[in-house]
Amino acid sequence: MSCAAITAAMQQAGIRRLAVIAGEPQWAREQAYCWQQALPGDWITISSADDIEPRVAPAALRTLLGQEFHHALFDARTGFHAEAFAALAGTLRAGSWLLLLTPPWRCWATSPDSDSLRWADVAEPIATPRFVERLQQLIVQDDQVLLLRQHQPASVPAMTPLPVWHSRAPQEQAAILAELLAISSGVAVVTAARGRGKSALAGMLARHSQRALVTAPAKVATDVLAQFAGEHFSFMAPDAILQQSALPAAEWLIIDEAAAIPAPLLLQLVARFPRVLLTTTIQGYEGTGRGFLLRVCAQLPEVRYFTLNEPLRWSTHDPLERWLSRALLFEEAQHTPPLSDLTLFRCTPAQPAALEAGYRLLASAHYRTSPLDLRRLLDAPGMALWLAGKPDTIAGALWLVEEGGLDADLAQAIWAGVRRPRGNLVAQSLAAHAGFQEAATLRSLRISRIAVTASQRRQGTGRALVAHARQQASGSDFLSVSFGYTLPLWRFWHACGFTLVRIGSQREASSGCYAAMAICGLTPAGEQLQQRAAEQLARDTFWLRDLIDLPLPDQAALSQQLSQDDLALLAGFAFAQRPFEASYAALQRLVRAAPQPLMTTILIQKQTLSAAAKHASLSGRKAVIQQLRQETATALGALVPQAAAAWQQQLSALQ
């Protein structure tokens, strides 16, 4: 059967297929060109290679959301951007082919993958054998995938007869639309996998209500919504809506792909309108998922939930969606009964089923999980996955990442704010923001994710996983964790033996919470860092209340006299690039010992940086910070002239 005949049969059955072209770069490109010439279609192309035009860069995947195409080409000859691949697949209509170009089949798993630079914290691309071999196995096992390998016979899909496709999605949409139109107030949340017609449903609501305002992370992603809304499509960017002094006259605010909007912004938008529709994709390639429902929707009043199950643009028998779901583990974590006898074990590559179950559990419990995390877990160096349960029944999962062990010169450059290499999230932050260089030189393990099944919660499973990680952390000086601060979460980490050592001054975009960091010392050096960092945070809390909107404990009784540690941090601010927010408490102590004009305006009179800039005739924040650095240098020169000169010489050499 010819390619055109196969494609016609696919169109009638309402299905899409994957075609893999594996070979030398030029050969693979030539084969793809033949396909493009033989089959009419859009042939949207995702590639970073110069030999393919026109193309969309993988990093621009968000511009694809909400659009539809017929046939597509994904170029993975030098790297596999999993999120872009999944997003591209979600844009294809029934009867489409998705062509995947790869390196030669036999050497694909050992070829450096340029995408690893995004997620592996490496200086040069690395091979990703576990991920690639998994893809290859799924490609070969699926009789609906067309596989074309250079110098080998083609593997053609099995032509299994399929019924003529008649989508039932319109009836499902109509039923939900009727319920939405009957809502007098509150929030409606429509979730679905890609291709179920969420944007179309939102457009229908806009057309029927005739007074709806639409917003989304990017206007380009609302093309389908606009088609269904017709002349009643009215778009405004999220930040533009919040800048309006008076509310736009709208019966509905429709927020398409809501989970891609920062949570604090989303909550502000919802609060301003009587009726709000949120649509979001539950599959994780956009960094969304069930976590959106857990973290954000739980905070909203009068929420009604709706789900679209039937695909709109393809059949329920679609081979491409089935293969993609298996490859990137989009299926939901299975509900498991409570287990009375838990075994804690480290998952190895020889246990693929356990690893997949652990990943699904982590994905179901965390807000921003995406295929990038799957790639990191499989192939990035320094990863470990500990599981609770049995290989066939996973009740808990804990993901550890190695950090620290940096040389002293690099640690000092990080402390000074002149270097910020990839990786080492907590280790670097404690050096760059809290001011402890040793946090970067000591070896540590960061708990990246932890999750427990619903049936196993409040049974001590999470604490048991953390305790086991402590016991098995041979060679590490401390355990660390970074989390969006809430009181229940902090109580959990405190119960696990952790001490709070840092709270960021900005709310995280994804969770709306302040980023907090806690550590648990394992060696004398780690315990000393834990004690010093906790003492400094307690002392700084008196001033951090200016920046952090949390009920922090009153630490007024602690000494606020300048210490040697303060002077060192201030030197880093004056003569290097330590951040203003990280230096805030020390600057508050300095201004009372050696007042300076701009410092007094900002720190004592509490003027904002923008207001202070205008008052001092400075051009903006950057100029204000530079002036503060100069004033700090002047103050240090007056208080400790010899030490200030030595610090200036030492830190200038770093830059």
Side-chain angles (χ1 to χ4, degrees), residues 211-226:
R211 292 181 60 196
L213 181 64
V214 176
T215 192
K219 187 177 181 181
V220 69
T222 61
D223 287 354
V224 172
L225 195 158

Side-chain angles (χ1 to χ4, degrees), residues 360-399:
R360 287 194 185 97
L361 176 56
L362 292 171
S364 69
H366 288 271
Y367 180 52
R368 288 287 175 185
T369 303
S370 78
L372 181 147
D373 297 294
L374 176 61
R375 302 216 61 189
R376 180 184 289 122
L377 187 59
L378 286 171
D379 285 304
M383 304 289 144
L385 181 64
W386 288 91
L387 301 175
K390 302 173 183 177
D392 59 345
T393 309
I394 302 303
L398 182 145
W399 180 0

Side-chain angles (χ1 to χ4, degrees), residues 470-490:
R470 290 177 60 178
Q471 295 169 6
Q472 300 296 319
S474 176
S476 297
D477 294 294
F478 62 92
L479 286 181
S480 71
V481 65
S482 176
F483 60 98
Y485 185 91
T486 64
L487 192 55
L489 264 182
W490 167 233

